[in-house]
Amino acid sequence: MSTATASRIVVGVDGSQQSVEALRYAQRLAPAFDATILAVAAWDYPAEYPGYVPLGTSEFADAAKIHLEHAVTRAYGGNVPSGLETTVVFAHPGKALVQASRDAALLIVGRRGHGTFRGLLLGSVSNSCVSHAHCPVLVVHQSSEDEASEDKASTGRATDDADS
């Protein structure tokens, strides 16, 4: 009888295109790690006045669950990887993902790009994960198809792949 735990890739999901791409990366990397995938969506109370506790917190959890389900559908369609688990956690996203990384072989997060110089910087969640995770971290940028469609939308013309 083996006491070794199964390998797991943790993916942070917030519904953005980058988190969908992170799920796709996890699917491609899972066989190399002999791992299952855990998709984590985290939510926290929005910033409010000090001392004010918002009512109806189930709405936040429900919204996070819906974002998670839609991201999984966008990433995999009908080909969901076997052993895929999803969870919604009440915590700051950076803290939730760092905690989940304790038992992970790899943590994958998306980086929200802001374009120009700011687009070169990591966001607060990905920076927290890179700085504090208990396993290696892969930060996924936009896919080349997403960049090409954004370039086309912003310039009104398609980009030439030879220029890349």
Side-chain angles (χ1 to χ4, degrees):
M1 183 170 116
S2 173
T3 59
T5 59
S7 185
R8 174 178 281 172
I9 296 175
V10 174
V11 182
V13 179
D14 64 0
S16 68
Q17 184 57 40
Q18 290 83 353
S19 68
V20 170
E21 195 64 29
L23 285 166
R24 292 179 182 143
Y25 267 89
Q27 183 180 30
R28 289 192 294 267
L29 294 172
F33 284 89
D34 192 25
T36 58
I37 301 168
L38 173 63
V40 177
W43 69 275
D44 200 357
Y45 291 115
E48 297 289 337
Y49 298 106
Y52 173 75
V53 178
L55 300 176
T57 57
S58 66
E59 294 173 13
F60 298 120
D62 292 343
K65 183 176 182 179
I66 290 168
H67 283 300
L68 178 59
E69 290 169 352
H70 287 184
V72 167
T73 300
R74 285 172 45 210
Y76 305 128
N79 299 321
V80 176
S82 64
L84 173 76
E85 294 178 50
T86 61
T87 187
V88 175
V89 179
F90 170 62
H92 182 275
K95 290 180 181 180
L97 294 171
V98 168
Q99 178 64 33
S101 76
R102 287 188 181 277
D103 299 321
L106 180 66
L107 172 59
I108 305 177
V109 293
R111 182 199 59 99
R112 291 236 181 149
H114 297 286
T116 63
F117 177 73
R118 286 181 56 203
L120 299 174
L121 305 174
L122 290 178
S124 61
V125 172
S126 53
N127 189 38
S128 176
C129 291
V130 167
S131 300
H132 302 290
H134 301 277
C135 66
V137 178
L138 173 61
V139 179
V140 176
H141 299 268
Q142 284 181 290
S143 70
S144 57
E145 292 121 18
D146 296 329
E147 290 173 357
S149 65
E150 279 189 8
D151 286 345
K152 182 177 179 181
S154 66
T155 63
R157 63 179 180 84
T159 58
D160 184 8
D161 289 339
D163 292 339
S164 300

